[in-house]
Coordinates of all heavy atoms in Angstrom, one line a residue:
M151 N -28.5 -9.3 -0.6 CA -27.2 -9.8 -1.0 C -26.5 -8.7 -1.8 O -27.0 -8.1 -2.6 CB -27.4 -11.0 -1.8 CG -26.2 -11.8 -2.2 SD -26.8 -13.4 -2.7 CE -25.4 -14.1 -3.3
S152 N -25.2 -8.5 -1.4 CA -24.5 -7.4 -2.1 C -23.7 -8.0 -3.2 O -23.3 -9.1 -3.3 CB -23.6 -6.8 -1.1 OG -22.6 -7.7 -0.6
T153 N -23.4 -7.1 -4.2 CA -22.6 -7.5 -5.3 C -21.2 -7.1 -5.1 O -20.9 -6.3 -4.2 CB -23.1 -6.8 -6.6 OG1 -22.9 -5.4 -6.4 CG2 -24.5 -7.1 -6.9
P154 N -20.2 -7.6 -5.8 CA -18.8 -7.2 -5.6 C -18.6 -5.7 -5.7 O -17.8 -5.2 -5.0 CB -18.0 -8.0 -6.7 CG -18.9 -9.2 -7.0 CD -20.3 -8.7 -6.8
E155 N -19.3 -5.1 -6.6 CA -19.2 -3.6 -6.8 C -19.6 -2.9 -5.6 O -19.0 -1.8 -5.3 CB -20.0 -3.1 -8.0 CG -19.5 -3.6 -9.4 CD -20.0 -5.1 -9.7 OE1 -21.0 -5.5 -9.1 OE2 -19.3 -5.7 -10.5
Q156 N -20.6 -3.4 -4.8 CA -21.0 -2.7 -3.6 C -20.0 -2.9 -2.5 O -20.0 -2.1 -1.6 CB -22.4 -3.3 -3.2 CG -23.5 -3.0 -4.1 CD -24.8 -3.7 -3.7 OE1 -24.7 -4.8 -3.2 NE2 -25.9 -3.1 -4.0
N157 N -19.1 -3.8 -2.5 CA -18.2 -4.1 -1.5 C -16.9 -3.3 -1.7 O -16.0 -3.3 -0.9 CB -17.8 -5.6 -1.4 CG -19.0 -6.3 -0.9 OD1 -19.8 -5.8 -0.1 ND2 -19.1 -7.6 -1.3
Q158 N -16.7 -2.6 -2.9 CA -15.5 -1.9 -3.2 C -15.7 -0.4 -2.9 O -16.8 0.1 -3.0 CB -15.1 -2.1 -4.7 CG -14.8 -3.5 -5.0 CD -14.3 -3.7 -6.5 OE1 -14.4 -2.7 -7.2 NE2 -13.9 -4.9 -6.8
P159 N -14.6 0.3 -2.6 CA -14.7 1.7 -2.4 C -15.3 2.4 -3.7 O -15.0 1.9 -4.8 CB -13.2 2.1 -2.2 CG -12.5 0.9 -1.8 CD -13.3 -0.3 -2.4
K160 N -16.0 3.5 -3.4 CA -16.7 4.2 -4.5 C -15.7 4.8 -5.5 O -15.8 4.7 -6.7 CB -17.6 5.2 -4.0 CG -18.8 4.6 -3.2 CD -19.6 5.7 -2.7 CE -20.8 5.2 -1.9 NZ -20.5 4.6 -0.7
E161 N -14.6 5.4 -5.0 CA -13.6 6.1 -5.9 C -12.6 5.0 -6.3 O -12.0 4.4 -5.5 CB -12.9 7.1 -5.0 CG -12.0 8.0 -5.9 CD -11.5 9.1 -5.0 OE1 -12.2 9.8 -4.3 OE2 -10.2 9.3 -5.1
K162 N -12.5 4.9 -7.6 CA -11.6 3.9 -8.2 C -10.2 4.4 -8.2 O -9.9 5.4 -8.8 CB -12.0 3.5 -9.6 CG -13.2 2.6 -9.6 CD -12.8 1.2 -9.1 CE -13.7 0.2 -9.5 NZ -13.3 -1.1 -9.0
K163 N -9.3 3.7 -7.5 CA -7.8 3.9 -7.6 C -7.2 2.7 -8.0 O -7.7 1.6 -7.8 CB -7.3 4.3 -6.2 CG -7.8 5.6 -5.6 CD -7.2 5.9 -4.3 CE -7.8 7.1 -3.7 NZ -7.2 7.4 -2.4
S164 N -6.0 2.8 -8.6 CA -5.3 1.6 -8.9 C -4.8 0.9 -7.6 O -4.8 1.6 -6.6 CB -4.0 1.9 -9.8 OG -3.0 2.5 -9.0
C165 N -4.5 -0.3 -7.7 CA -4.0 -1.0 -6.5 C -2.8 -0.3 -5.9 O -2.8 -0.2 -4.7 CB -3.7 -2.5 -6.8 SG -5.0 -3.5 -7.3
L166 N -1.9 0.1 -6.7 CA -0.7 0.7 -6.2 C -1.0 2.1 -5.6 O -0.4 2.4 -4.5 CB 0.4 0.8 -7.3 CG 1.8 1.2 -6.9 CD1 2.3 0.2 -5.9 CD2 2.7 1.2 -8.1
E167 N -1.9 2.8 -6.2 CA -2.3 4.1 -5.6 C -2.9 3.9 -4.3 O -2.7 4.6 -3.3 CB -3.2 4.8 -6.6 CG -2.6 5.4 -7.8 CD -3.7 6.0 -8.7 OE1 -4.8 5.4 -8.8 OE2 -3.3 6.9 -9.4
L168 N -3.8 2.9 -4.2 CA -4.5 2.6 -3.0 C -3.5 2.2 -1.9 O -3.6 2.6 -0.7 CB -5.6 1.6 -3.2 CG -6.5 1.3 -2.0 CD1 -7.2 2.6 -1.5 CD2 -7.6 0.4 -2.4
L169 N -2.6 1.3 -2.3 CA -1.6 0.8 -1.3 C -0.8 2.0 -0.7 O -0.7 2.1 0.5 CB -0.7 -0.2 -2.0 CG 0.5 -0.6 -1.2 CD1 0.1 -1.4 0.1 CD2 1.4 -1.5 -2.0
H170 N -0.3 2.9 -1.6 CA 0.4 4.0 -1.1 C -0.4 5.0 -0.3 O 0.1 5.5 0.8 CB 1.1 4.8 -2.3 CG 2.2 4.0 -2.9 ND1 2.6 4.2 -4.2 CD2 2.9 2.9 -2.5 CE1 3.6 3.4 -4.5 NE2 3.7 2.6 -3.5
S171 N -1.6 5.2 -0.6 CA -2.5 6.1 0.2 C -2.8 5.5 1.6 O -2.8 6.2 2.6 CB -3.8 6.5 -0.5 OG -4.6 5.4 -0.7
I172 N -2.9 4.1 1.6 CA -3.1 3.5 2.9 C -1.8 3.6 3.8 O -1.9 4.0 4.9 CB -3.5 2.0 2.7 CG1 -4.9 1.9 2.2 CG2 -3.3 1.2 4.0 CD1 -5.3 0.6 1.7
L173 N -0.7 3.3 3.2 CA 0.6 3.4 4.0 C 0.9 4.8 4.4 O 1.6 5.0 5.4 CB 1.7 2.7 3.2 CG 1.5 1.2 2.9 CD1 2.6 0.7 2.0 CD2 1.6 0.4 4.3
D174 N 0.5 5.7 3.6 CA 0.8 7.1 3.9 C -0.3 7.8 4.8 O -0.2 8.9 5.2 CB 0.9 8.0 2.6 CG 2.1 7.6 1.7 OD1 3.1 7.0 2.3 OD2 2.1 7.9 0.5
G175 N -1.3 7.0 5.2 CA -2.3 7.5 6.0 C -3.3 8.4 5.4 O -4.0 9.2 6.0
E176 N -3.4 8.3 4.1 CA -4.3 9.2 3.3 C -5.6 8.5 2.8 O -6.4 9.2 2.3 CB -3.5 9.8 2.1 CG -2.3 10.6 2.5 CD -1.4 10.9 1.4 OE1 -1.6 10.4 0.2 OE2 -0.5 11.7 1.6
A177 N -5.7 7.2 3.0 CA -6.9 6.5 2.5 C -8.0 6.7 3.5 O -7.8 6.9 4.7 CB -6.6 5.0 2.4
T178 N -9.2 6.6 3.0 CA -10.4 6.6 3.9 C -10.5 5.3 4.7 O -9.9 4.3 4.3 CB -11.7 6.8 3.0 OG1 -11.9 5.6 2.3 CG2 -11.7 8.0 2.1
A179 N -11.3 5.4 5.7 CA -11.5 4.2 6.5 C -12.1 3.0 5.7 O -11.7 1.9 5.9 CB -12.4 4.5 7.7
E180 N -13.0 3.4 4.8 CA -13.6 2.4 3.9 C -12.6 1.8 3.0 O -12.6 0.6 2.8 CB -14.7 3.1 3.1 CG -15.5 2.2 2.2 CD -16.6 2.9 1.4 OE1 -17.1 3.9 1.8 OE2 -16.9 2.4 0.3
E181 N -11.7 2.6 2.4 CA -10.7 2.1 1.5 C -9.7 1.1 2.3 O -9.4 0.1 1.8 CB -9.9 3.2 0.9 CG -10.7 4.0 -0.1 CD -9.9 5.2 -0.6 OE1 -9.2 5.9 0.2 OE2 -10.1 5.6 -1.8
Q182 N -9.3 1.6 3.5 CA -8.4 0.8 4.3 C -9.1 -0.6 4.6 O -8.4 -1.6 4.5 CB -8.1 1.5 5.6 CG -7.2 2.7 5.4 CD -6.9 3.3 6.8 OE1 -7.1 2.7 7.8 NE2 -6.5 4.6 6.7
K183 N -10.3 -0.5 5.1 CA -11.0 -1.8 5.5 C -11.1 -2.7 4.3 O -10.8 -3.9 4.4 CB -12.4 -1.5 6.0 CG -13.1 -2.7 6.5 CD -14.4 -2.4 7.1 CE -15.1 -3.7 7.6 NZ -16.3 -3.5 8.3
H184 N -11.5 -2.2 3.2 CA -11.7 -3.1 2.0 C -10.3 -3.7 1.6 O -10.2 -4.9 1.3 CB -12.3 -2.3 0.8 CG -12.3 -3.1 -0.5 ND1 -13.2 -4.1 -0.7 CD2 -11.5 -3.1 -1.5 CE1 -13.0 -4.7 -1.9 NE2 -11.9 -4.0 -2.4
F185 N -9.3 -2.8 1.5 CA -8.0 -3.3 1.0 C -7.4 -4.3 1.9 O -6.9 -5.4 1.5 CB -7.1 -2.1 0.8 CG -5.8 -2.4 0.1 CD1 -5.8 -2.5 -1.3 CD2 -4.7 -2.7 0.8 CE1 -4.6 -2.8 -1.9 CE2 -3.5 -3.0 0.2 CZ -3.4 -3.0 -1.2
L186 N -7.4 -4.0 3.2 CA -6.7 -4.8 4.2 C -7.5 -6.1 4.6 O -6.9 -7.1 4.9 CB -6.4 -4.0 5.5 CG -5.4 -2.9 5.3 CD1 -5.3 -2.0 6.5 CD2 -4.1 -3.4 4.8
E187 N -8.8 -6.0 4.5 CA -9.6 -7.2 4.9 C -10.1 -8.1 3.8 O -10.3 -9.2 4.0 CB -10.8 -6.8 5.7 CG -10.5 -6.1 7.0 CD -11.7 -5.7 7.8 OE1 -12.9 -5.9 7.4 OE2 -11.5 -5.0 8.9
K188 N -10.1 -7.5 2.6 CA -10.6 -8.3 1.4 C -9.7 -8.4 0.3 O -9.4 -9.5 -0.2 CB -12.0 -7.7 0.9 CG -13.0 -7.8 2.0 CD -14.4 -7.2 1.5 CE -15.2 -7.3 2.7 NZ -16.5 -7.2 2.7
H189 N -9.2 -7.2 -0.2 CA -8.4 -7.2 -1.4 C -7.1 -8.0 -1.2 O -6.7 -8.7 -2.1 CB -8.1 -5.8 -1.8 CG -7.4 -5.7 -3.1 ND1 -8.0 -5.8 -4.3 CD2 -6.1 -5.5 -3.4 CE1 -7.1 -5.7 -5.3 NE2 -5.9 -5.5 -4.8
L190 N -6.4 -7.8 -0.1 CA -5.1 -8.5 0.1 C -5.2 -10.0 0.0 O -4.3 -10.7 -0.4 CB -4.4 -8.1 1.4 CG -3.8 -6.7 1.4 CD1 -3.1 -6.5 2.8 CD2 -2.8 -6.5 0.3
D191 N -6.4 -10.6 0.5 CA -6.6 -12.0 0.4 C -6.8 -12.5 -1.0 O -6.4 -13.7 -1.3 CB -7.9 -12.4 1.2 CG -7.6 -12.3 2.7 OD1 -6.5 -12.3 3.1 OD2 -8.6 -12.1 3.4
A192 N -7.2 -11.6 -1.9 CA -7.5 -12.1 -3.3 C -6.5 -11.7 -4.3 O -6.5 -12.2 -5.4 CB -8.9 -11.5 -3.7
C193 N -5.6 -10.8 -3.9 CA -4.6 -10.2 -4.9 C -3.2 -10.5 -4.4 O -2.7 -9.7 -3.6 CB -4.9 -8.8 -5.2 SG -3.8 -8.0 -6.4
R194 N -2.6 -11.5 -4.9 CA -1.2 -11.8 -4.5 C -0.2 -10.7 -4.7 O 0.6 -10.4 -3.9 CB -0.8 -13.1 -5.2 CG 0.5 -13.7 -4.6 CD 0.3 -14.0 -3.2 NE 1.1 -15.1 -2.8 CZ 1.2 -15.4 -1.5 NH1 0.6 -14.8 -0.6 NH2 2.0 -16.4 -1.2
P195 N -0.2 -10.0 -5.9 CA 0.8 -8.9 -6.1 C 0.6 -7.8 -5.1 O 1.6 -7.3 -4.6 CB 0.4 -8.4 -7.5 CG -0.2 -9.6 -8.2 CD -1.0 -10.3 -7.2
C196 N -0.6 -7.5 -4.7 CA -0.8 -6.5 -3.7 C -0.4 -7.0 -2.3 O 0.2 -6.2 -1.6 CB -2.3 -6.1 -3.6 SG -2.8 -5.0 -5.0
Y197 N -0.6 -8.2 -2.0 CA -0.1 -8.8 -0.8 C 1.4 -8.7 -0.7 O 1.9 -8.3 0.3 CB -0.6 -10.3 -0.7 CG -0.1 -11.0 0.6 CD1 -0.8 -10.8 1.8 CD2 1.0 -11.8 0.5 CE1 -0.4 -11.5 2.9 CE2 1.4 -12.4 1.7 CZ 0.7 -12.3 2.9 OH 1.2 -12.9 4.0
N198 N 2.1 -9.1 -1.8 CA 3.5 -9.0 -1.8 C 4.0 -7.6 -1.7 O 5.0 -7.3 -1.0 CB 4.1 -9.7 -3.0 CG 3.9 -11.2 -3.0 OD1 3.7 -11.8 -2.0 ND2 3.8 -11.8 -4.2
N199 N 3.4 -6.7 -2.5 CA 3.8 -5.3 -2.4 C 3.6 -4.6 -1.1 O 4.4 -3.9 -0.6 CB 3.1 -4.5 -3.5 CG 3.6 -4.7 -4.9 OD1 4.8 -5.0 -5.0 ND2 2.8 -4.5 -5.9
Y200 N 2.5 -5.0 -0.4 CA 2.1 -4.5 0.9 C 3.2 -4.9 1.9 O 3.8 -4.0 2.6 CB 0.8 -5.0 1.3 CG 0.4 -4.5 2.8 CD1 -0.1 -3.3 3.0 CD2 0.5 -5.4 3.8 CE1 -0.4 -2.9 4.3 CE2 0.2 -5.0 5.1 CZ -0.3 -3.8 5.3 OH -0.6 -3.4 6.6
N201 N 3.6 -6.1 1.9 CA 4.6 -6.6 2.8 C 6.0 -6.0 2.5 O 6.7 -5.7 3.4 CB 4.6 -8.2 2.8 CG 3.4 -8.7 3.5 OD1 3.0 -8.3 4.6 ND2 2.8 -9.7 2.9
L202 N 6.3 -5.9 1.2 CA 7.6 -5.3 0.8 C 7.6 -3.8 1.3 O 8.6 -3.4 1.9 CB 7.7 -5.4 -0.7 CG 9.0 -4.7 -1.2 CD1 10.3 -5.4 -0.7 CD2 9.0 -4.8 -2.7
E203 N 6.5 -3.1 1.0 CA 6.5 -1.7 1.4 C 6.6 -1.5 3.0 O 7.3 -0.6 3.4 CB 5.2 -1.0 1.0 CG 5.1 -0.8 -0.5 CD 5.9 0.4 -1.0 OE1 6.2 1.3 -0.2 OE2 6.2 0.4 -2.2
M204 N 5.9 -2.4 3.7 CA 6.0 -2.3 5.2 C 7.4 -2.6 5.6 O 7.9 -2.0 6.5 CB 5.0 -3.3 5.8 CG 3.6 -3.0 5.6 SD 3.1 -1.4 6.3 CE 3.2 -1.9 8.1
A205 N 8.1 -3.6 5.0 CA 9.5 -3.9 5.4 C 10.4 -2.8 5.1 O 11.3 -2.4 5.9 CB 9.9 -5.2 4.6
I206 N 10.2 -2.1 3.9 CA 11.1 -1.0 3.5 C 10.9 0.1 4.5 O 11.9 0.7 5.0 CB 10.8 -0.5 2.1 CG1 11.3 -1.5 1.1 CG2 11.4 0.9 1.8 CD1 10.8 -1.3 -0.3
R207 N 9.7 0.4 4.9 CA 9.4 1.5 5.8 C 9.9 1.2 7.2 O 10.5 2.1 7.8 CB 7.9 1.8 5.9 CG 7.4 2.5 4.6 CD 5.9 2.5 4.5 NE 5.5 3.0 3.2 CZ 4.9 4.2 3.0 NH1 4.5 5.0 4.0 NH2 4.5 4.6 1.8
E208 N 9.8 0.0 7.6 CA 10.4 -0.4 8.9 C 11.9 -0.3 8.9 O 12.5 0.2 9.9 CB 9.9 -1.8 9.4 CG 8.5 -1.8 9.8 CD 8.2 -0.9 10.9 OE1 8.9 -0.8 11.9 OE2 7.2 -0.2 10.8
L209 N 12.5 -0.7 7.9 CA 14.0 -0.6 7.7 C 14.4 0.8 7.8 O 15.4 1.2 8.5 CB 14.4 -1.3 6.5 CG 15.9 -1.2 6.2 CD1 16.7 -2.0 7.2 CD2 16.2 -1.8 4.8
L210 N 13.7 1.7 7.0 CA 14.1 3.1 7.0 C 13.9 3.7 8.3 O 14.7 4.6 8.7 CB 13.3 3.8 5.9 CG 13.6 3.5 4.5 CD1 12.6 4.2 3.5 CD2 15.0 4.0 4.2
K211 N 12.9 3.3 9.1 CA 12.7 3.9 10.4 C 13.8 3.6 11.3 O 14.3 4.4 12.1 CB 11.4 3.3 11.0 CG 10.1 4.0 10.6 CD 8.9 3.4 11.3 CE 7.6 3.8 10.7 NZ 6.5 3.1 11.3
T212 N 14.3 2.3 11.3 CA 15.3 1.9 12.2 C 16.7 2.5 11.8 O 17.5 2.9 12.6 CB 15.5 0.4 12.2 OG1 15.8 -0.1 11.0 CG2 14.2 -0.3 12.8
K213 N 16.9 2.7 10.5 CA 18.2 3.3 10.0 C 18.2 4.8 10.1 O 19.2 5.4 10.2 CB 18.4 2.9 8.6 CG 18.6 1.4 8.4 CD 19.8 0.9 9.2 CE 19.9 -0.6 9.0 NZ 20.9 -1.2 10.0
C214 N 17.0 5.4 10.2 CA 17.0 6.9 10.3 C 16.7 7.3 11.7 O 16.3 8.5 12.0 CB 15.9 7.4 9.4 SG 16.2 7.1 7.6
N215 N 16.9 6.5 12.7 CA 16.8 6.8 14.1 C 15.4 7.4 14.4 O 15.3 8.5 15.0 CB 17.9 7.7 14.6 CG 19.2 7.1 14.5 OD1 19.4 5.9 14.8 ND2 20.3 7.8 14.2
S216 N 14.4 6.8 13.9 CA 13.0 7.2 14.1 C 12.6 8.5 13.4 O 11.6 9.1 13.7 CB 12.7 7.3 15.6 OG 12.9 6.1 16.2
Q217 N 13.5 9.0 12.6 CA 13.2 10.2 11.8 C 12.4 9.7 10.5 O 12.8 8.6 10.0 CB 14.4 10.9 11.4 CG 15.2 11.5 12.5 CD 16.5 12.2 12.0 OE1 16.7 12.3 10.9 NE2 17.2 12.6 13.0
K218 N 11.5 10.4 10.1 CA 10.7 10.0 8.9 C 11.6 10.2 7.7 O 12.3 11.2 7.5 CB 9.5 10.9 8.7 CG 8.6 10.5 7.6 CD 7.3 11.2 7.6 CE 6.5 10.7 6.4 NZ 5.2 11.3 6.3
A219 N 11.7 9.2 6.9 CA 12.5 9.2 5.6 C 11.9 10.2 4.7 O 10.7 10.3 4.5 CB 12.5 7.8 5.0
P220 N 12.7 10.9 4.0 CA 12.3 11.9 3.0 C 11.5 11.1 1.9 O 11.9 10.0 1.5 CB 13.5 12.4 2.4 CG 14.6 12.1 3.4 CD 14.2 10.9 4.1
S221 N 10.4 11.7 1.5 CA 9.5 11.0 0.5 C 10.3 10.8 -0.8 O 10.0 9.8 -1.5 CB 8.3 11.9 0.2 OG 8.6 13.1 -0.3
E222 N 11.2 11.6 -1.2 CA 12.0 11.4 -2.4 C 12.9 10.1 -2.3 O 13.0 9.4 -3.2 CB 12.9 12.6 -2.7 CG 13.7 12.5 -4.0 CD 14.5 13.8 -4.2 OE1 14.1 14.9 -3.9 OE2 15.6 13.6 -4.8
L223 N 13.4 9.9 -1.1 CA 14.2 8.7 -0.9 C 13.3 7.4 -1.0 O 13.6 6.5 -1.7 CB 14.8 8.7 0.5 CG 15.5 7.4 0.9 CD1 16.7 7.1 0.0 CD2 16.0 7.5 2.4
I224 N 12.1 7.5 -0.4 CA 11.2 6.4 -0.5 C 10.8 6.1 -2.0 O 10.8 5.0 -2.4 CB 9.9 6.6 0.3 CG1 10.3 6.7 1.8 CG2 8.9 5.6 0.1 CD1 9.2 7.1 2.7
E225 N 10.5 7.2 -2.7 CA 10.2 7.0 -4.1 C 11.3 6.5 -5.0 O 11.1 5.6 -5.8 CB 9.7 8.3 -4.7 CG 8.3 8.7 -4.2 CD 7.2 7.7 -4.5 OE1 7.2 7.1 -5.5 OE2 6.4 7.5 -3.5
N226 N 12.5 6.9 -4.7 CA 13.7 6.4 -5.4 C 13.9 4.9 -5.2 O 14.2 4.1 -6.1 CB 15.0 7.2 -5.0 CG 15.0 8.6 -5.6 OD1 14.3 8.8 -6.6 ND2 15.8 9.4 -5.1
I227 N 13.8 4.5 -3.9 CA 13.9 3.1 -3.6 C 12.8 2.3 -4.2 O 13.1 1.2 -4.8 CB 13.9 2.9 -2.0 CG1 15.2 3.5 -1.4 CG2 13.8 1.4 -1.7 CD1 15.2 3.6 0.1
R228 N 11.6 2.8 -4.1 CA 10.5 2.1 -4.7 C 10.7 1.9 -6.2 O 10.4 0.9 -6.8 CB 9.2 2.9 -4.4 CG 7.9 2.2 -4.8 CD 6.7 3.0 -4.4 NE 6.6 3.0 -3.0 CZ 6.3 4.1 -2.2 NH1 6.2 5.2 -2.8 NH2 6.2 4.0 -0.9
S229 N 11.2 3.0 -6.9 CA 11.4 2.9 -8.3 C 12.5 1.9 -8.7 O 12.3 1.1 -9.6 CB 11.8 4.3 -8.8 OG 12.1 4.3 -10.1
M230 N 13.5 1.9 -7.9 CA 14.6 0.9 -8.2 C 14.1 -0.5 -8.0 O 14.4 -1.4 -8.8 CB 15.8 1.1 -7.2 CG 16.6 2.4 -7.6 SD 18.1 2.6 -6.7 CE 17.5 3.0 -5.1
I231 N 13.3 -0.8 -7.0 CA 12.7 -2.1 -6.8 C 11.8 -2.5 -7.9 O 11.9 -3.6 -8.4 CB 12.0 -2.2 -5.4 CG1 13.0 -2.1 -4.3 CG2 11.1 -3.4 -5.3 CD1 12.3 -1.9 -2.9
N232 N 10.9 -1.6 -8.3 CA 10.0 -1.9 -9.4 C 10.7 -2.1 -10.7 O 10.3 -2.9 -11.5 CB 9.0 -0.8 -9.6 CG 8.0 -0.8 -8.5 OD1 7.7 -1.8 -7.8 ND2 7.4 0.4 -8.2
T233 N 11.8 -1.4 -10.9 CA 12.6 -1.6 -12.2 C 13.3 -3.0 -12.2 O 13.5 -3.6 -13.2 CB 13.7 -0.5 -12.3 OG1 13.0 0.8 -12.3 CG2 14.5 -0.6 -13.5
A234 N 13.7 -3.4 -11.0 CA 14.4 -4.7 -10.8 C 13.5 -5.9 -11.1 O 14.0 -7.0 -11.3 CB 15.1 -4.8 -9.5
R235 N 12.2 -5.7 -11.0 CA 11.3 -6.9 -11.1 C 11.2 -7.3 -12.5 O 11.1 -6.9 -13.5 CB 9.9 -6.5 -10.6 CG 9.9 -6.4 -9.1 CD 8.6 -6.1 -8.6 NE 8.6 -5.9 -7.2 CZ 7.7 -5.7 -6.4 NH1 6.5 -5.5 -6.9 NH2 7.8 -5.5 -5.1

């Protein structure tokens, strides 16, 4: 029988750091699996942030004619959204 610690990725990242590394394609397969299959079910703020981030990225893709949005633009939008909360 495994403990909760055994089911989590070995390297500790904050939820937000992990979310961004997953969306940016920088997370390990283990981190992705844990976050997407387990963590999102248990953490409502992460679930909401994940869906918000996905919506923002999709919107930027459609508005930028399939060009990747500059990371500075993404960070500025993310900052404004977090400030508004």
